[in-house]
Every structure is written in C-alpha cells, then in structure tokens.
Amino acid sequence: MDAAEQLKDDLQTGRLKPDRLVDLIVDLQRQLHAANQRIADLEKQLTGSSAKVDEPYSLRAEEKRQDARGKKKRKAPRKGRRGRLSTADKIAKAEREVDVLPDGLSKSDCHLSHTRPVWRLENGRAVLVAYHIYRGPNDRYGKIPGVLGRSEFSLEIMLAIAHLVYVVGLSFDKVGLVFNFFQNLQLTKSQADALLHQLARHWRNEFEILCTLLANSLIVHTDETSWSLNSVWAFLSENARLLFFGVHKDADTLKEILDPATFAGTVISDDAAVYANFTKSQKCWAHLLRKAIKLTLEGPNNVEYRRFADRLLEIYRSAGRVQRDGRLCDTGRTRKVGELDDAILELCGPMWAADLPPLEGPDNDYRLLAHELMRLMLAKELFTFVTTPSVQQPNGERHTVGATNNESERTLRSPAQARDTGRTNKTIVGARRQTILTSVLQSLRVYLPTFTLSRVIAEVLRWGEQGRSCFAKMLKKLKLHLPEHSVLDRVLPQPSD
C-alpha cells in the first residue's frame, strides 16, 4: 500500500490525528508554493529570452553605441577607389563628344570654356556624353539640351526615376537595380533623391499652372484617404490631375484648392460634409449601392432589404440608359430626370415620411440610407450626370460624365498601399516634392495621345525648346492668369529652418 492509500485508510479508521493532518496540509501548501514559484521563474526566463528588444542590435547600431561610450571605432579596410570620380576620368569614359555653341554663333567666334560629362538615355541604355561648352561674346554660353543646371544626368533620366518612384511605386534601392540591370547605369539612393528634388524645383511653376487649370475645369472627380502625414487628396479634371500629399482634409484646404464659392463646374464625390457647398454636384452612386447591398448581406432573409436594393439598382441602370440615349434632347433628358426623381420618392418616401427615431443594427442603416437618398434627390445631386454634357481632354479624347468617383479612388489606391506598407514620405519636404512630381506626371496623361516614356521625354524636352509647357499653352488658350499666392505654400507650407 502506497503513502496516499495508507493516509486514506488511517483517515477512515480514525487513526489519523488532527494535528498530523494539519501538518500534512501545511507541508503540501509549502511544496505547492515552491513549485509555483519555480514555474514562474522558468517562464520569466523563457519569455525574456525570446522577447523583442526595443533597441536595434545590428552591427551598425552597436558601433554607434560604442562611439557614444567613447570607444575607438575600428576602421574598415579600404576597398578600391573611394570618393567621386574626377571630371577628367568621366570624360575619358565618354562614348562620344559634342560641341555646344551659343545660339547664332559659329565655332570661330567662340572659345572653349569647359567640358561637362552628362549621362543620357539613348536607345534604351545609358550613354555618357562629353559636352564641350563654348563661350562667345558677352559671356554667352552654349546650353546643353535637356539638362537642368549643372546636373550630370539628363532630363530623361530624371523623368524615368520620377515615374518609377511615384507612379510605379518602386523604392530608391529598386530604382537603382532597374537602371543598373536595364540601362547599365549605376545610380545611388542619394543621387536619385537629389535628382527628384531638382526636378520638383524645376516643375514648381507647372504645378501652380495645373492648380489654376483645375479651378477652371468643367468636371472634377475628387476623393481622399489617410496618409503618413494627414491625408492625400486627389482632384481629377479634364485639364489637370492633381494629388496633394500630406494636407489636411478640411474646408479651409478645399477652399484653397477648389473654392466652392467660385467653382462653376461639377464636382463628383462621395457624400462627405466637406463637399456639401458646391453649386453643382454629383454624389457617388457606388457608395449608395454598396450600402444597399450590404443590407441584403446582413439580412439575407429580409424581403424588404432585397426589394429596396433591387429597385435602387434598377433606377441607377435606368439613369445610365437615359444618359446614353442619343435620341433625347436636353429637354427630354430633363423630363426623364424628373421621372427618376419620382422613382426615388416612391422607393424612399415612406421611410422618410415616417421620421422614425434611431433604430438598432441594419434597420437603422436602412433608415439612414433612405433619408440620404431623399436628401440627395431633393438637392439635385443624384442624377446630375444624366444632363451634364461630355468633356474633351487636351489629347482629343472625349468622356461622358460618370455617376461615381471610382476614378479618383483608383488613383489613390497606390498611395494607400504605400501607406499600409510604410513606404511613404515622413516629412513635409518629401510630401511637397511628391505632390509636384506626381501631379505633373499624371496630368501629362490627359495631354499626350499615349503615356509612354518616349512620349513624355519628347514633350518635356519640347518645353525647353519652346520656352513653355503644354500646361502653359492651355492656360493661355483659356485666357487665365496665375493667382498672386502659391496654392502649394498655402495648403502645404514650407517648413522653416
């Protein structure tokens, strides 16, 4: 018989004294406490060994901590040549040499001033060209075409970097890999960063022109989403496509970009309160239909929800057919819109007239949607797209006015993905740069027949030859003038040093 059975037998026969039982209980409690304490110590050791350390523990981080403690840093062995190549070495590697003379002067009237090596993109690869700059009378210098200032990289390389970073969404590291693999050009992160800053400064005036064109457009699609700094706001019109990164989404910001008090066109947006004061609006049908469909998913057995969603979708499709019907004149379309308004009244009127208090769950969502549809119908913001004429872009394409702001939502998809993966700018300077470069590149889509690198390069190089951009030409054609204040400085002020 083991100890447990013996103890049980003694207890049943009365041979176990109370004092001995108390001693046994106390001893067991002491052993249990010691065992629990041991388990807790082991768990603490186990957890501590696998816990994430707040401080970085890379080799570079440790070297920084050693420097802070005053420990002498071990010098790494030198590998090959360090520092930048000299101009003479670059010229020696050039594939060809080109003389650059002042306009209207011959070589005999000038003398050689200096030689500058410049990387260019030619036939899909990077080529190093040595330009011999000549100086003529009155200190007139020859100007290298397609090169900004004293840069060693041409405009076409800058354009390719800007497109890869801000349109495709590649990091500086990946941009360097692309250029090294496809164009045989070694490009560092610091060089790419400096070139984007230089291009943004060069395009600053083009961005302000686009802001003026936007404010005088016929149709503007707009949407916004959160970003690493405040929000990113998209404004897409037939003459400009602007994206503002790092701005606040409020009425003051909207007033600087697209003032509801003076804008005479149509704004296509969701039903956010910030868009409530425009004279002519089209609210996004996609948002409304999604709310109705959500009701049917939350209450699959609710016949009323299904009837409401089916009828609302039928009204939307009828509006689209009226818009596309070429047999109708303006008066006929206006009459059809009145019939569509009556259909909304018939669908939502009973719920709207009941004026019910807030309900619970999907029933309250149903009540709110019916009230929203009635409010938008009475404000003439549901079927504006039916009677609004189509618009023509500068590249000749003509587009009908849509009933949704899906285009602006798609435009913000890439910035939203960059936000979710932590690949966004974290400073105002970076936000301003991305605002300028992205807006100019995206706006070129509505001015060029095809949006390709060769087309963009040819167009931008033509700006330098003609002295003005396609945006400036449109500004002059519409007889518009730039405002005295900068829109960018108002909505995204330059940080003070």
Side-chain angles (χ1 to χ4, degrees), residues 18-29:
D19 295 342
R20 183 187 172 195
L21 181 60
V22 173
D23 293 340
L24 286 173
I25 294 174
V26 172
D27 185 58
L28 289 174
Q29 288 180 341

Side-chain angles (χ1 to χ4, degrees), residues 95 119-128 182-185:
E95 295 193 15
W119 284 100
R120 309 206 73 118
L121 287 183
E122 298 179 355
N123 299 322
R125 69 184 186 92
V127 176
L128 186 60
F182 290 101
Q183 282 80 34
N184 194 26
L185 173 63

